[in-house]
Amino acid sequence: MIIEVLLTKLLITTIATKSSLDISNEYDFDFEKRVINSQNNPYYDIISKVNHPNYNIKAQALNDIAEKKINNACNDVIKCLNDEDFRIRGLAAITLGKLDNILAIPYLINALKDEHPGVRGSAALSLGRLNAINSDNYLIELLNDNDYTVVLSACYSLGILNSTKSIDPIIKLLDHDNPQVRENAAWVLGLLKAQKATPYLEILTQDPYDSVRSSAKRAIFHIKYQALSDTSKIQYSGGSGLNLKDAIKITGIKNSLSCLRSQKEYINNFYGDNNRWEQVDQSHVKHNNKHYTLITVKENDSGKLRKFYFDITELFLKF
């Protein structure tokens, strides 16, 4: 995602002062059990360089590990979170997020306490990448960080993690002194479909910064769209949907938008994967004072066409 890439670049540029961090003993990790040698590891040369005393060589190794997604280097990269050089710690945190290895999660949580904001922010961003759902309480605490880049990363990851418990703390960020934080907070609240944030976002549409105003308006749109297209009360009954007599009856419809969404959800659940079908046609059918939607889809595996008839009479009775 574009926002994630921009945040990563921003974090790298914020690494400016030296600090160190001792990894907590709360989590056990045996670094000596790894097996790295030239015979069974094609990436031996790259992995071995993360222990090199030269910064440039070590940094390049971390970049190569991230780019090539060398997962069996995870142990060595985790060790770099305790490096004396803050730049290496920051790069290690970013690399771990790109390796998609959940073993790194507790160490990244520890890194949220690092003295350097670039390391804290990088760790926060990587926790989102790793879908570390249980890290949301730690990330919420980080929303009070005195460095705005850290706040940006924590806020972004809470949105990616769909952390509803973070809605109230993120609403408070709409008053943040930094416009980038306000902009990002608005974006995340839209992502979380936080209806209670709407009045605060309405105020933000008058922000002096155009990017903040735009973000607030987009968030309001997403929140209202979610409310209009809500399918949580919809129920399906009837038959297979192969013809009018055996149509799938939809009840609990709020409006045409939720009706349309419910039909797509039904078809997606029928196939179990939205990549297995594609819609080729949709039409409205009226028969015996009843209303139906006919959706024709093509099955991607076989190329066959299948029809779905939905009885949507309830929607028309409301008007």
Side-chain angles (χ1 to χ4, degrees):
M1 299 179 70
I2 295 176
I3 295 178
E4 184 175 318
V5 172
L6 292 175
L7 280 174
T8 302
K9 291 181 178 178
L10 180 62
L11 287 166
I12 291 175
T13 59
T14 61
I15 298 175
T17 58
K18 210 164 193 177
S19 63
S20 62
L21 171 71
D22 291 330
I23 292 293
S24 169
N25 291 324
E26 181 180 356
Y27 305 100
D28 294 327
F29 203 99
D30 189 353
F31 295 108
E32 302 306 321
K33 287 185 178 179
R34 65 186 183 279
V35 178
I36 298 176
N37 57 61
S38 56
Q39 292 182 343
N40 61 17
N41 194 330
Y43 297 114
Y44 169 77
D45 289 338
I46 295 175
I47 298 174
S48 63
K49 288 176 182 176
V50 298
N51 300 310
H52 200 282
N54 182 278
Y55 163 77
N56 291 325
I57 294 175
K58 186 179 292 188
Q60 185 60 54
L62 288 170
N63 287 330
D64 289 343
I65 288 170
E67 181 180 347
K68 298 179 184 296
K69 293 188 178 297
I70 308 175
N71 233 318
N72 57 2
C74 185
N75 299 14
D76 296 84
V77 179
I78 287 174
K79 287 184 66 177
C80 290
L81 289 175
N82 201 33
D83 197 276
E84 293 182 357
D85 192 323
F86 62 91
R87 297 172 297 176
I88 294 300
R89 298 200 303 277
L91 287 173
I94 291 173
T95 300
L96 288 170
K98 295 180 178 180
L99 291 184
D100 299 326
N101 193 324
I102 61 173
L103 291 176
I105 290 175
Y107 295 91
L108 287 168
I109 290 176
N110 281 339
L112 296 178
K113 299 177 289 187
D114 195 279
E115 295 177 6
H116 196 280
V119 181
R120 297 196 300 275
S122 298
L125 194 61
S126 286
L127 287 168
R129 286 172 173 161
L130 292 174
N131 194 32
I133 298 174
N134 293 332
S135 69
D136 56 353
N137 286 331
Y138 300 97
L139 293 170
I140 289 172
E141 290 180 14
L142 222 57
L143 295 178
N144 298 313
D145 199 277
N146 57 12
D147 188 284
Y148 83 95
T149 63
V150 179
V151 178
L152 284 173
S153 296
C155 184
Y156 173 82
S157 284
L158 286 166
I160 297 301
L161 295 173
N162 195 30
S163 172
T164 55
K165 69 171 68 172
S166 69
I167 289 176
D168 286 337
I170 293 176
I171 287 176
K172 293 180 181 179
L173 294 180
L174 297 178
D175 288 327
H176 199 280
D177 292 338
N178 189 287
Q180 287 181 263
V181 173
R182 298 197 299 274
E183 177 186 350
N184 192 50
W187 179 82
V188 170
L189 289 169
L191 190 67
L192 294 174
K193 309 297 189 296
Q195 293 189 36
K196 67 185 299 184
T198 302
Y200 304 97
L201 290 166
E202 293 282 4
I203 296 174
L204 209 64
T205 60
Q206 305 301 316
D207 194 273
Y209 289 84
D210 180 64
S211 61
V212 179
R213 295 195 301 270
S214 297
S215 184
K217 291 175 183 177
R218 285 195 299 270
I220 292 170
F221 171 80
H222 287 304
I223 292 169
K224 289 183 176 180
Y225 177 86
Q226 173 66 17
L228 287 172
S229 62
D230 180 29
T231 59
S232 60
K233 300 294 179 62
I234 283 179
Q235 295 182 340
Y236 306 98
S237 59
S240 63
L242 290 174
N243 51 57
L244 287 175
K245 185 178 179 180
D246 209 24
I248 302 156
K249 186 175 183 179
I250 304 178
T251 55
I253 305 171
K254 295 173 61 177
N255 50 55
S256 58
L257 190 58
S258 65
C259 180
L260 179 62
R261 185 174 178 182
S262 68
Q263 294 164 0
K264 300 296 178 60
E265 288 181 355
Y266 181 92
I267 297 173
N268 188 47
N269 290 333
F270 178 85
Y271 284 105
D273 186 349
N274 59 8
N275 293 319
R276 295 183 59 190
W277 64 277
E278 60 178 298
Q279 181 176 323
V280 296
D281 189 35
Q282 179 173 326
S283 59
H284 177 258
V285 179
K286 185 177 179 181
H287 180 70
N288 292 338
N289 294 321
K290 286 192 173 184
H291 296 267
Y292 304 86
T293 296
L294 168 59
I295 297 179
T296 305
V297 305
K298 182 177 74 172
E299 299 176 349
N300 291 334
D301 292 340
S302 65
K304 294 180 179 179
L305 297 180
R306 191 188 195 283
K307 297 182 183 296
F308 289 88
Y309 285 88
F310 294 93
D311 182 345
I312 57 171
T313 305
E314 182 187 275
L315 175 64
F316 285 83
L317 292 176
K318 292 184 177 182
F319 298 96

